[in-house]
Amino acid sequence: MADSTLKSPAKKHNDPNKQAKRAAFDPTVASDKPQEYYDEIKARFELERDIRLKYRPKGLGEYTSDLEGELAKYEVDPYAEEQVAREPMEDYVEFLFIGGGFSALLTAARLRERGVESIRIVERGSDVGGTWYWNRYPGAACDVSAYDYLPLLDEMGHVPESFFAKGPEIFAHCQNIARRYDLYDLAIFQTTVESTHWDKEAKLWRLKTDRGDTLSARFVICANGTLAKPKLSRIQGMETFKGHSFHTSRFDYEYCGANLENLKDKRVGIIGTGASAVQIIPRVGRASKSLHVFQRTPSAIDIRDDIPTDPKWAASLKPGWQKERIDKHVLTTKPDPAKRAEIEQLPRDVRTQRYENQNIEHQMRIHARVDSVINDPATAEALKPWYMHRCKRPCYDDEYPPAFNLPNVHLVDTQGKGVTQINERGVVFEGVEYPVDVLIYATGFEVQVTGIYNDIRGEDGMELNEKYSTGMRTVFGIHSAGYPNLFIMGGYQASFQFNLTFMLQTQGFHIAECIKYTRENGYITIDAKPDTEQWWVDEVIRYRGTTNRNKECTPGYYNFEGEENRRQDGNYNGGMYQYVQHLDESKGKYREYFDFQQ
Ligand code: NDP
């Protein structure tokens, strides 16, 4: 089956309204195939999920992010020249950011615009950039249109090079923001915050770092990332491997060569086929002597269709073009009351069935794409995802599927079992040894536990983790009662957005406004009221309570690896538009939402 849309057209981006294509399902439209067709596929989805659950009895416990001892090397920063020696610092600032990625850069920029001077950024890496500092693997790129994803384009006078920005361009943009807003002088790099304790008497946060620093701050912003801490699958014998190995977020160019040229005589193994692996595999496949890809569950790979920016279009853009574009886009996510009414008058089971049927149609289109590209029928079969769209992170790539037609690229489909054994020579699966010189772990990250690594203790000395152990409790996912002047960015109970920078900008704006109000009114602290917190927890539960999706999906990080979880321990599912509305509504009513102290 030929698919004419597989190749990117030789045109340049000149459509200011073009958005990245995302699947959208409309339950007012009935499916045109007999219901048995969909039921059969749904039954296969369940079967495949059950296979995976059977092989992962420990759920989240199948992974480890305690990268100590033998595993410590997987977290070492390969991009830092060497650790710069410095004396421990003792200082006070008004605002301290834990982390130097987009969350910190965007919020610090907003604070700067409000005349704030006393800011410090404490960052584990040796530069700003966060995700884009760490994830420098070959092919790293963003799946959200660059004109929306790259923030502050108006302010920075930058027009992205192509519709989807590549990692180096995004990293450079982060560095440019830091320069433009004079944030470099405020940053201390190669430094990890180890504890963040509230000093009740002084009404200050006291922080300690792994470099012996003692820092004090009036306000702390946890900006340490949504997917920041690498994790490894616990695989028997992984410590015994004698070859070279690393995690995707610590890509070793010294070993592979800047253009992967050192891989030409190397046998490479990659464990995992998530979004990172999907981008790496075609590049490493082309560069290496051989590549074995160890797959547990295939990703769903949709068309990418990237195009370079038309320079004439770029030159024609008027100041404020990005804001206009984003405003327009946000408005399109506003629920249409007429459509909503039409949907709501459908019986619930009809609605659900139609959503599911359209979702299945979408996934079958992905299957057809696999068939149209892959030469070997067995490989094609193995690359087909058998789960609903968005059970796992959808991927958009035009180079990944054809990579499996290369003679040196081999898919080892573990059919849901996953790699369970590694020896000194390589990977062993079902008694077959796959010797490799280098093993790349594309096994992902801890998810959205922003802030809780740093031993954060609030007013009564309770660690934030401990408070959350009986259920997460926040206001907007940003404030948590008993932790005054602490703001959490990109964590659970906030909305979830494919365009994460939009979410972070929204949160950054809210935080800057809260701080402005606190300072201008002569207060020293702002803290969530317990009642407001309860209201938000109920809001989160209300929107997470309507679906069994977590249970029905194949395991992965989207559904806590199939583990049962409390309804409140996840994202706010009321939609980004409504999340923004809630934040906007709080403005001007801060005294109703928060407690302030002088
Ligand atoms: P993921 O968590 O998405 O993927 C981990 C992969 O490792 C899965 O395929 C998982 O299989 C596999 N795995 C784990 N253990 C084993 C095992 N023992 N044997 C075989 N396979 C195993 O991590 P990623 O780093 O790929 O992506 C994380 C997120 O980062 C993405 O979801 C996305 O949000 C973001 N990202 C975005 C990109 C973009 O914009 N294009 C690019 C890269 C990342 P299984 O599915 O069976 O659990």
Side-chain angles (χ1 to χ4, degrees), residues 52 56 63 137 141-143 227 231 233 235 248 271-277 279 294-297 304 392-393 414 418-420 442-445 555-558 561:
R52 277 159 188 79
R56 269 183 257 185
Y63 287 97
Y137 59 75
C142 184
D143 284 352
L227 295 163
K231 67 179 166 51
S233 195
I235 301 172
T248 51
I271 299 179
T273 49
S276 300
Q279 295 183 326
F294 298 93
Q295 171 183 275
R296 186 162 65 183
T297 310
R304 186 165 190 81
K392 280 188 178 290
R393 165 61 152 78
T414 68
V419 171
T420 52
T443 47
F445 302 86
Y557 82 80
Y558 272 21
E561 302 295 332

mmCIF file of all heavy atoms in Angstrom, residues 52 56 63 137 141-143 227 231 233 235 248 271-277 279 294-297 304 392-393 414 418-420 442-445 555-558 561, ligand 1:
data_model
loop_
_atom_site.group_PDB
_atom_site.id
_atom_site.type_symbol
_atom_site.label_atom_id
_atom_site.label_comp_id
_atom_site.label_asym_id
_atom_site.label_seq_id
_atom_site.Cartn_x
_atom_site.Cartn_y
_atom_site.Cartn_z
ATOM 1 N N ARG A 52 1.757 -7.867 28.830
ATOM 2 C CA ARG A 52 2.771 -6.960 29.398
ATOM 3 C C ARG A 52 2.658 -6.864 30.924
ATOM 4 O O ARG A 52 3.663 -6.843 31.626
ATOM 5 C CB ARG A 52 2.649 -5.572 28.756
ATOM 6 C CG ARG A 52 3.364 -5.540 27.451
ATOM 7 C CD ARG A 52 2.939 -4.467 26.496
ATOM 8 N NE ARG A 52 3.616 -4.717 25.229
ATOM 9 C CZ ARG A 52 3.221 -5.637 24.348
ATOM 10 N NH1 ARG A 52 2.138 -6.354 24.558
ATOM 11 N NH2 ARG A 52 3.915 -5.843 23.247
ATOM 12 N N ARG A 56 5.386 -7.755 34.145
ATOM 13 C CA ARG A 56 5.832 -6.620 34.956
ATOM 14 C C ARG A 56 5.083 -6.571 36.278
ATOM 15 O O ARG A 56 4.393 -5.591 36.570
ATOM 16 C CB ARG A 56 5.582 -5.316 34.193
ATOM 17 C CG ARG A 56 6.746 -4.896 33.348
ATOM 18 C CD ARG A 56 6.465 -3.582 32.680
ATOM 19 N NE ARG A 56 6.114 -3.779 31.290
ATOM 20 C CZ ARG A 56 5.911 -2.794 30.433
ATOM 21 N NH1 ARG A 56 5.987 -1.556 30.833
ATOM 22 N NH2 ARG A 56 5.621 -3.045 29.186
ATOM 23 N N TYR A 63 11.671 -0.607 37.586
ATOM 24 C CA TYR A 63 12.712 0.366 37.218
ATOM 25 C C TYR A 63 13.489 0.811 38.452
ATOM 26 O O TYR A 63 13.003 0.717 39.572
ATOM 27 C CB TYR A 63 12.071 1.620 36.608
ATOM 28 C CG TYR A 63 11.520 1.434 35.216
ATOM 29 C CD1 TYR A 63 10.169 1.166 34.999
ATOM 30 C CD2 TYR A 63 12.350 1.540 34.099
ATOM 31 C CE1 TYR A 63 9.658 1.011 33.708
ATOM 32 C CE2 TYR A 63 11.850 1.395 32.809
ATOM 33 C CZ TYR A 63 10.506 1.129 32.623
ATOM 34 O OH TYR A 63 10.013 0.992 31.353
ATOM 35 N N TYR A 137 21.170 13.539 22.317
ATOM 36 C CA TYR A 137 21.384 12.353 21.479
ATOM 37 C C TYR A 137 21.127 12.701 20.010
ATOM 38 O O TYR A 137 20.424 13.681 19.704
ATOM 39 C CB TYR A 137 20.486 11.208 21.967
ATOM 40 C CG TYR A 137 19.018 11.525 21.951
ATOM 41 C CD1 TYR A 137 18.296 11.561 20.761
ATOM 42 C CD2 TYR A 137 18.331 11.794 23.128
ATOM 43 C CE1 TYR A 137 16.949 11.853 20.740
ATOM 44 C CE2 TYR A 137 16.979 12.084 23.122
ATOM 45 C CZ TYR A 137 16.297 12.112 21.917
ATOM 46 O OH TYR A 137 14.965 12.414 21.902
ATOM 47 N N ALA A 141 14.802 16.165 18.819
ATOM 48 C CA ALA A 141 13.982 17.239 18.251
ATOM 49 C C ALA A 141 12.640 17.236 18.962
ATOM 50 O O ALA A 141 12.286 16.259 19.615
ATOM 51 C CB ALA A 141 13.779 17.014 16.756
ATOM 52 N N CYS A 142 11.921 18.335 18.816
ATOM 53 C CA CYS A 142 10.644 18.459 19.524
ATOM 54 C C CYS A 142 9.481 18.119 18.588
ATOM 55 O O CYS A 142 9.544 18.387 17.393
ATOM 56 C CB CYS A 142 10.518 19.892 20.042
ATOM 57 S SG CYS A 142 9.050 20.114 21.025
ATOM 58 N N ASP A 143 8.419 17.561 19.155
ATOM 59 C CA ASP A 143 7.256 17.158 18.354
ATOM 60 C C ASP A 143 6.153 18.212 18.334
ATOM 61 O O ASP A 143 5.069 17.961 17.816
ATOM 62 C CB ASP A 143 6.646 15.863 18.919
ATOM 63 C CG ASP A 143 7.478 14.656 18.562
ATOM 64 O OD1 ASP A 143 8.422 14.801 17.771
ATOM 65 O OD2 ASP A 143 7.185 13.572 19.080
ATOM 66 N N LEU A 227 10.577 15.421 33.319
ATOM 67 C CA LEU A 227 11.209 14.124 33.018
ATOM 68 C C LEU A 227 12.713 14.349 33.153
ATOM 69 O O LEU A 227 13.427 14.462 32.165
ATOM 70 C CB LEU A 227 10.867 13.686 31.598
ATOM 71 C CG LEU A 227 9.398 13.388 31.303
ATOM 72 C CD1 LEU A 227 9.120 13.381 29.813
ATOM 73 C CD2 LEU A 227 8.983 12.055 31.901
ATOM 74 N N LYS A 231 15.996 6.838 34.397
ATOM 75 C CA LYS A 231 15.766 5.574 35.109
ATOM 76 C C LYS A 231 16.199 4.406 34.218
ATOM 77 O O LYS A 231 16.244 4.538 32.989
ATOM 78 C CB LYS A 231 14.315 5.447 35.576
ATOM 79 C CG LYS A 231 13.252 5.308 34.521
ATOM 80 C CD LYS A 231 11.891 5.173 35.213
ATOM 81 C CE LYS A 231 10.680 5.348 34.347
ATOM 82 N NZ LYS A 231 10.537 4.618 33.129
ATOM 83 N N SER A 233 15.792 0.117 33.550
ATOM 84 C CA SER A 233 15.035 -1.100 33.820
ATOM 85 C C SER A 233 15.952 -1.979 34.676
ATOM 86 O O SER A 233 17.156 -2.046 34.424
ATOM 87 C CB SER A 233 14.773 -1.749 32.464
ATOM 88 O OG SER A 233 13.798 -2.706 32.545
ATOM 89 N N ILE A 235 17.600 -5.037 35.229
ATOM 90 C CA ILE A 235 17.853 -6.222 34.398
ATOM 91 C C ILE A 235 18.969 -7.045 35.033
ATOM 92 O O ILE A 235 20.042 -6.497 35.358
ATOM 93 C CB ILE A 235 18.238 -5.805 32.956
ATOM 94 C CG1 ILE A 235 17.104 -4.969 32.343
ATOM 95 C CG2 ILE A 235 18.527 -7.037 32.096
ATOM 96 C CD1 ILE A 235 17.436 -4.345 30.999
ATOM 97 N N THR A 248 20.308 7.368 27.285
ATOM 98 C CA THR A 248 20.117 8.318 26.169
ATOM 99 C C THR A 248 20.342 9.776 26.574
ATOM 100 O O THR A 248 20.788 10.580 25.763
ATOM 101 C CB THR A 248 18.682 8.205 25.605
ATOM 102 O OG1 THR A 248 17.753 8.308 26.699
ATOM 103 C CG2 THR A 248 18.478 6.885 24.892
ATOM 104 N N ILE A 271 18.133 -0.593 24.181
ATOM 105 C CA ILE A 271 17.021 -1.172 24.937
ATOM 106 C C ILE A 271 15.935 -0.123 25.058
ATOM 107 O O ILE A 271 16.148 0.941 25.649
ATOM 108 C CB ILE A 271 17.478 -1.635 26.337
ATOM 109 C CG1 ILE A 271 18.549 -2.714 26.194
ATOM 110 C CG2 ILE A 271 16.280 -2.150 27.147
ATOM 111 C CD1 ILE A 271 19.100 -3.223 27.518
ATOM 112 N N GLY A 272 14.782 -0.410 24.475
ATOM 113 C CA GLY A 272 13.664 0.524 24.548
ATOM 114 C C GLY A 272 13.332 1.103 23.183
ATOM 115 O O GLY A 272 14.222 1.258 22.323
ATOM 116 N N THR A 273 12.040 1.394 22.993
ATOM 117 C CA THR A 273 11.580 1.966 21.723
ATOM 118 C C THR A 273 10.581 3.099 21.978
ATOM 119 O O THR A 273 9.588 3.245 21.270
ATOM 120 C CB THR A 273 10.928 0.863 20.841
ATOM 121 O OG1 THR A 273 9.986 0.139 21.645
ATOM 122 C CG2 THR A 273 11.948 -0.086 20.260
ATOM 123 N N GLY A 274 10.842 3.887 23.031
ATOM 124 C CA GLY A 274 10.014 5.067 23.315
ATOM 125 C C GLY A 274 10.463 6.238 22.440
ATOM 126 O O GLY A 274 11.262 6.070 21.499
ATOM 127 N N ALA A 275 9.995 7.437 22.771
ATOM 128 C CA ALA A 275 10.223 8.614 21.921
ATOM 129 C C ALA A 275 11.715 8.919 21.716
ATOM 130 O O ALA A 275 12.116 9.357 20.632
ATOM 131 C CB ALA A 275 9.518 9.821 22.516
ATOM 132 N N SER A 276 12.555 8.687 22.744
ATOM 133 C CA SER A 276 13.996 8.954 22.577
ATOM 134 C C SER A 276 14.589 7.965 21.589
ATOM 135 O O SER A 276 15.283 8.352 20.630
ATOM 136 C CB SER A 276 14.748 8.826 23.912
ATOM 137 O OG SER A 276 14.243 9.730 24.858
ATOM 138 N N ALA A 277 14.316 6.677 21.802
ATOM 139 C CA ALA A 277 14.875 5.644 20.925
ATOM 140 C C ALA A 277 14.431 5.859 19.481
ATOM 141 O O ALA A 277 15.221 5.686 18.544
ATOM 142 C CB ALA A 277 14.433 4.265 21.409
ATOM 143 N N GLN A 279 14.000 8.482 17.863
ATOM 144 C CA GLN A 279 14.811 9.488 17.172
ATOM 145 C C GLN A 279 16.259 9.023 16.991
ATOM 146 O O GLN A 279 16.921 9.383 16.022
ATOM 147 C CB GLN A 279 14.756 10.810 17.944
ATOM 148 C CG GLN A 279 13.340 11.389 17.945
ATOM 149 C CD GLN A 279 13.225 12.737 18.623
ATOM 150 O OE1 GLN A 279 13.921 13.014 19.590
ATOM 151 N NE2 GLN A 279 12.327 13.574 18.137
ATOM 152 N N PHE A 294 16.097 -3.735 21.019
ATOM 153 C CA PHE A 294 15.351 -4.650 21.883
ATOM 154 C C PHE A 294 14.033 -3.978 22.272
ATOM 155 O O PHE A 294 14.021 -3.026 23.053
ATOM 156 C CB PHE A 294 16.190 -5.016 23.117
ATOM 157 C CG PHE A 294 17.456 -5.734 22.720
ATOM 158 C CD1 PHE A 294 18.638 -5.033 22.521
ATOM 159 C CD2 PHE A 294 17.447 -7.102 22.503
ATOM 160 C CE1 PHE A 294 19.801 -5.680 22.127
ATOM 161 C CE2 PHE A 294 18.609 -7.770 22.103
ATOM 162 C CZ PHE A 294 19.784 -7.057 21.911
ATOM 163 N N GLN A 295 12.973 -4.491 21.682
ATOM 164 C CA GLN A 295 11.656 -3.853 21.851
ATOM 165 C C GLN A 295 10.767 -4.662 22.799
ATOM 166 O O GLN A 295 10.676 -5.874 22.694
ATOM 167 C CB GLN A 295 10.975 -3.768 20.487
ATOM 168 C CG GLN A 295 9.525 -3.323 20.540
ATOM 169 C CD GLN A 295 8.860 -3.329 19.182
ATOM 170 O OE1 GLN A 295 8.975 -2.362 18.440
ATOM 171 N NE2 GLN A 295 8.183 -4.410 18.840
ATOM 172 N N ARG A 296 10.119 -3.937 23.721
ATOM 173 C CA ARG A 296 9.128 -4.592 24.573
ATOM 174 C C ARG A 296 7.716 -4.259 24.068
ATOM 175 O O ARG A 296 6.888 -5.122 23.889
ATOM 176 C CB ARG A 296 9.300 -4.142 26.024
ATOM 177 C CG ARG A 296 8.422 -4.872 26.992
ATOM 178 C CD ARG A 296 8.895 -4.725 28.411
ATOM 179 N NE ARG A 296 8.807 -3.347 28.889
ATOM 180 C CZ ARG A 296 9.224 -2.955 30.092
ATOM 181 N NH1 ARG A 296 9.777 -3.824 30.926
ATOM 182 N NH2 ARG A 296 9.111 -1.699 30.468
ATOM 183 N N THR A 297 7.490 -2.964 23.824
ATOM 184 C CA THR A 297 6.205 -2.520 23.256
ATOM 185 C C THR A 297 6.517 -1.520 22.147
ATOM 186 O O THR A 297 7.277 -0.574 22.385
ATOM 187 C CB THR A 297 5.342 -1.798 24.327
ATOM 188 O OG1 THR A 297 5.294 -2.611 25.501
ATOM 189 C CG2 THR A 297 3.935 -1.536 23.835
ATOM 190 N N ARG A 304 5.578 12.818 10.324
ATOM 191 C CA ARG A 304 6.173 14.030 10.910
ATOM 192 C C ARG A 304 5.982 15.215 9.967
ATOM 193 O O ARG A 304 5.525 16.258 10.347
ATOM 194 C CB ARG A 304 7.657 13.805 11.177
ATOM 195 C CG ARG A 304 8.290 14.965 11.915
ATOM 196 C CD ARG A 304 9.632 14.582 12.474
ATOM 197 N NE ARG A 304 10.176 15.576 13.374
ATOM 198 C CZ ARG A 304 9.843 15.708 14.648
ATOM 199 N NH1 ARG A 304 8.934 14.918 15.157
ATOM 200 N NH2 ARG A 304 10.388 16.627 15.400
ATOM 201 N N LYS A 392 0.166 5.391 25.160
ATOM 202 C CA LYS A 392 1.589 5.715 25.261
ATOM 203 C C LYS A 392 1.831 7.004 24.494
ATOM 204 O O LYS A 392 1.010 7.388 23.668
ATOM 205 C CB LYS A 392 2.419 4.596 24.625
ATOM 206 C CG LYS A 392 2.600 3.418 25.538
ATOM 207 C CD LYS A 392 3.566 2.435 24.970
ATOM 208 C CE LYS A 392 3.779 1.301 25.916
ATOM 209 N NZ LYS A 392 4.524 1.681 27.124
ATOM 210 N N ARG A 393 2.958 7.611 24.736
ATOM 211 C CA ARG A 393 3.313 8.861 24.065
ATOM 212 C C ARG A 393 3.363 8.617 22.545
ATOM 213 O O ARG A 393 4.181 7.844 22.068
ATOM 214 C CB ARG A 393 4.663 9.312 24.609
ATOM 215 C CG ARG A 393 5.421 10.371 23.862
ATOM 216 C CD ARG A 393 4.665 11.678 23.764
ATOM 217 N NE ARG A 393 5.526 12.834 23.651
ATOM 218 C CZ ARG A 393 6.135 13.211 22.526
ATOM 219 N NH1 ARG A 393 6.015 12.514 21.432
ATOM 220 N NH2 ARG A 393 6.863 14.311 22.529
ATOM 221 N N THR A 414 10.740 -8.608 21.884
ATOM 222 C CA THR A 414 10.647 -9.460 23.080
ATOM 223 C C THR A 414 9.184 -9.747 23.439
ATOM 224 O O THR A 414 8.912 -10.352 24.474
ATOM 225 C CB THR A 414 11.357 -8.809 24.290
ATOM 226 O OG1 THR A 414 10.616 -7.651 24.689
ATOM 227 C CG2 THR A 414 12.795 -8.437 23.974
ATOM 228 N N GLY A 418 10.327 -7.994 27.477
ATOM 229 C CA GLY A 418 11.427 -7.072 27.775
ATOM 230 C C GLY A 418 12.725 -7.830 27.984
ATOM 231 O O GLY A 418 12.726 -9.056 28.154
ATOM 232 N N VAL A 419 13.809 -7.084 27.958
ATOM 233 C CA VAL A 419 15.118 -7.685 28.216
ATOM 234 C C VAL A 419 15.186 -8.019 29.695
ATOM 235 O O VAL A 419 14.906 -7.164 30.543
ATOM 236 C CB VAL A 419 16.239 -6.693 27.837
ATOM 237 C CG1 VAL A 419 17.594 -7.203 28.293
ATOM 238 C CG2 VAL A 419 16.231 -6.425 26.348
ATOM 239 N N THR A 420 15.552 -9.244 30.021
ATOM 240 C CA THR A 420 15.625 -9.632 31.436
ATOM 241 C C THR A 420 17.025 -10.070 31.829
ATOM 242 O O THR A 420 17.295 -10.310 32.996
ATOM 243 C CB THR A 420 14.653 -10.788 31.741
ATOM 244 O OG1 THR A 420 14.896 -11.829 30.790
ATOM 245 C CG2 THR A 420 13.207 -10.343 31.653
ATOM 246 N N ALA A 442 17.560 3.220 26.528
ATOM 247 C CA ALA A 442 16.547 4.232 26.163
ATOM 248 C C ALA A 442 15.318 3.965 27.017
ATOM 249 O O ALA A 442 14.203 3.821 26.519
ATOM 250 C CB ALA A 442 16.229 4.126 24.680
ATOM 251 N N THR A 443 15.550 3.863 28.332
ATOM 252 C CA THR A 443 14.515 3.350 29.235
ATOM 253 C C THR A 443 13.779 4.449 30.018
ATOM 254 O O THR A 443 13.037 4.138 30.949
ATOM 255 C CB THR A 443 15.136 2.326 30.210
ATOM 256 O OG1 THR A 443 16.346 2.882 30.753
ATOM 257 C CG2 THR A 443 15.470 1.031 29.506
ATOM 258 N N GLY A 444 13.993 5.692 29.634
ATOM 259 C CA GLY A 444 13.134 6.761 30.132
ATOM 260 C C GLY A 444 13.544 7.413 31.439
ATOM 261 O O GLY A 444 14.702 7.330 31.880
ATOM 262 N N PHE A 445 12.548 8.064 32.059
ATOM 263 C CA PHE A 445 12.795 8.967 33.192
ATOM 264 C C PHE A 445 11.733 8.790 34.277
ATOM 265 O O PHE A 445 10.616 8.364 33.994
ATOM 266 C CB PHE A 445 12.728 10.419 32.708
ATOM 267 C CG PHE A 445 13.706 10.722 31.611
ATOM 268 C CD1 PHE A 445 13.382 10.489 30.283
ATOM 269 C CD2 PHE A 445 14.974 11.198 31.912
ATOM 270 C CE1 PHE A 445 14.296 10.742 29.266
ATOM 271 C CE2 PHE A 445 15.896 11.455 30.908
ATOM 272 C CZ PHE A 445 15.549 11.223 29.578
ATOM 273 N N PRO A 555 0.734 -1.005 29.883
ATOM 274 C CA PRO A 555 1.506 -0.256 30.888
ATOM 275 C C PRO A 555 2.585 0.642 30.284
ATOM 276 O O PRO A 555 3.141 0.346 29.231
ATOM 277 C CB PRO A 555 2.146 -1.358 31.747
ATOM 278 C CG PRO A 555 2.104 -2.591 30.927
ATOM 279 C CD PRO A 555 0.953 -2.456 29.996
ATOM 280 N N GLY A 556 2.840 1.708 30.979
ATOM 281 C CA GLY A 556 3.855 2.670 30.554
ATOM 282 C C GLY A 556 3.836 3.799 31.558
ATOM 283 O O GLY A 556 3.065 3.757 32.529
ATOM 284 N N TYR A 557 4.633 4.821 31.323
ATOM 285 C CA TYR A 557 4.689 5.869 32.348
ATOM 286 C C TYR A 557 3.418 6.717 32.385
ATOM 287 O O TYR A 557 3.117 7.342 33.389
ATOM 288 C CB TYR A 557 5.970 6.693 32.255
ATOM 289 C CG TYR A 557 5.993 7.808 31.235
ATOM 290 C CD1 TYR A 557 5.393 9.027 31.489
ATOM 291 C CD2 TYR A 557 6.660 7.653 30.031
ATOM 292 C CE1 TYR A 557 5.430 10.054 30.564
ATOM 293 C CE2 TYR A 557 6.711 8.672 29.093
ATOM 294 C CZ TYR A 557 6.092 9.867 29.361
ATOM 295 O OH TYR A 557 6.124 10.882 28.453
ATOM 296 N N TYR A 558 2.634 6.733 31.291
ATOM 297 C CA TYR A 558 1.383 7.495 31.305
ATOM 298 C C TYR A 558 0.405 6.934 32.351
ATOM 299 O O TYR A 558 -0.440 7.655 32.846
ATOM 300 C CB TYR A 558 0.708 7.431 29.935
ATOM 301 C CG TYR A 558 1.124 8.501 28.945
ATOM 302 C CD1 TYR A 558 2.321 9.192 29.074
ATOM 303 C CD2 TYR A 558 0.315 8.812 27.860
ATOM 304 C CE1 TYR A 558 2.693 10.147 28.157
ATOM 305 C CE2 TYR A 558 0.681 9.778 26.929
ATOM 306 C CZ TYR A 558 1.876 10.442 27.081
ATOM 307 O OH TYR A 558 2.242 11.401 26.169
ATOM 308 N N GLU A 561 2.732 2.574 34.947
ATOM 309 C CA GLU A 561 3.129 1.186 34.646
ATOM 310 C C GLU A 561 2.031 0.197 35.029
ATOM 311 O O GLU A 561 2.309 -0.943 35.396
ATOM 312 C CB GLU A 561 4.459 0.819 35.344
ATOM 313 C CG GLU A 561 5.632 1.723 34.989
ATOM 314 C CD GLU A 561 6.060 1.639 33.513
ATOM 315 O OE1 GLU A 561 5.868 0.586 32.899
ATOM 316 O OE2 GLU A 561 6.574 2.658 32.989
HETATM 317 P P1 NDP B 1 9.967 6.115 27.658
HETATM 318 O O1 NDP B 1 9.665 5.928 29.080
HETATM 319 O O2 NDP B 1 8.938 6.673 26.790
HETATM 320 O O3 NDP B 1 10.423 4.752 26.995
HETATM 321 C C1 NDP B 1 11.145 3.777 27.676
HETATM 322 C C2 NDP B 1 11.272 2.591 26.772
HETATM 323 O O4 NDP B 1 12.078 1.598 27.391
HETATM 324 C C3 NDP B 1 9.925 1.934 26.455
HETATM 325 O O5 NDP B 1 9.905 1.576 25.110
HETATM 326 C C4 NDP B 1 9.957 0.706 27.369
HETATM 327 O O6 NDP B 1 9.126 -0.348 26.931
HETATM 328 C C5 NDP B 1 11.411 0.351 27.225
HETATM 329 N N1 NDP B 1 11.914 -0.596 28.212
HETATM 330 C C6 NDP B 1 12.028 -0.443 29.542
HETATM 331 N N2 NDP B 1 12.529 -1.536 30.106
HETATM 332 C C7 NDP B 1 12.750 -2.406 29.104
HETATM 333 C C8 NDP B 1 13.256 -3.715 29.044
HETATM 334 N N3 NDP B 1 13.643 -4.381 30.144
HETATM 335 N N4 NDP B 1 13.372 -4.320 27.836
HETATM 336 C C9 NDP B 1 12.998 -3.669 26.709
HETATM 337 N N5 NDP B 1 12.495 -2.438 26.711
HETATM 338 C C10 NDP B 1 12.368 -1.808 27.893
HETATM 339 O O7 NDP B 1 11.311 7.007 27.608
HETATM 340 P P2 NDP B 1 11.855 7.978 26.465
HETATM 341 O O8 NDP B 1 13.148 8.497 26.923
HETATM 342 O O9 NDP B 1 11.809 7.332 25.146
HETATM 343 O O10 NDP B 1 10.793 9.136 26.401
HETATM 344 C C11 NDP B 1 10.394 9.804 27.583
HETATM 345 C C12 NDP B 1 9.531 10.987 27.221
HETATM 346 O O11 NDP B 1 10.342 12.096 26.863
HETATM 347 C C13 NDP B 1 8.615 10.832 26.044
HETATM 348 O O12 NDP B 1 7.453 10.138 26.326
HETATM 349 C C14 NDP B 1 8.337 12.261 25.666
HETATM 350 O O13 NDP B 1 7.376 12.823 26.495
HETATM 351 C C15 NDP B 1 9.679 12.896 25.915
HETATM 352 N N6 NDP B 1 10.427 12.904 24.652
HETATM 353 C C16 NDP B 1 9.939 13.681 23.630
HETATM 354 C C17 NDP B 1 10.526 13.658 22.416
HETATM 355 C C18 NDP B 1 9.923 14.440 21.317
HETATM 356 O O14 NDP B 1 9.355 15.519 21.504
HETATM 357 N N7 NDP B 1 9.997 13.910 20.129
HETATM 358 C C19 NDP B 1 11.718 12.856 22.149
HETATM 359 C C20 NDP B 1 12.180 12.111 23.307
HETATM 360 C C21 NDP B 1 11.531 12.128 24.500
HETATM 361 P P3 NDP B 1 7.548 -0.385 27.332
HETATM 362 O O15 NDP B 1 6.880 0.570 26.412
HETATM 363 O O16 NDP B 1 7.153 -1.790 27.122
HETATM 364 O O17 NDP B 1 7.442 0.022 28.773
#
